Amino acid sequence: MTAFNVVRFKVKPGMDEAFLDAHRNIAGSWPGMRHANIIKTGEGRYCIIAEWESTEALAAGRPAMIATLDSFRQTLEDLGGGLGVTDPVAGPVVLSMK
């Protein structure tokens, strides 16, 4: 069953390109990932949305995702509210629409 994960970030001023550069070649290093997009949701605010072959593939990909995060963690601001520098959610697809 296909799964998705979404992670919200707030990038420090002037660090947008470093943040995006850290993600440019993730496809090869995140086995099981089908597709990923980064969307800009505001000034210095981004979300990555990734599609995975299965919830098992998503779980197996977590070490690679964390390693990628560690490579650009210095570009991120704390989101506040006790979240830290990321706000991740993930789960299986329960309804697929066009």
Side-chain angles (χ1 to χ4, degrees), residues 21-63:
D21 285 346
H23 291 91
R24 294 203 193 281
N25 297 308
I26 62 171
S29 61
W30 293 10
M33 184 186 69
R34 289 183 177 166
H35 192 77
N37 288 290
I38 294 178
I39 62 172
K40 188 170 185 173
T41 62
E43 191 60 39
R45 296 183 181 269
Y46 296 89
C47 285
I48 186 168
I49 303 167
E51 179 182 2
W52 297 83
E53 294 171 359
S54 64
T55 54
E56 294 81 12
L58 190 159
R62 284 191 181 115

Side-chain angles (χ1 to χ4, degrees), residues 8-31:
R8 189 169 59 101
F9 306 94
K10 183 177 180 186
V11 178
K12 292 176 182 175
M15 300 298 287
D16 296 71
E17 281 308 307
F19 168 79
L20 294 171
D21 285 346
H23 291 91
R24 294 203 193 281
N25 297 308
I26 62 171
S29 61
W30 293 10

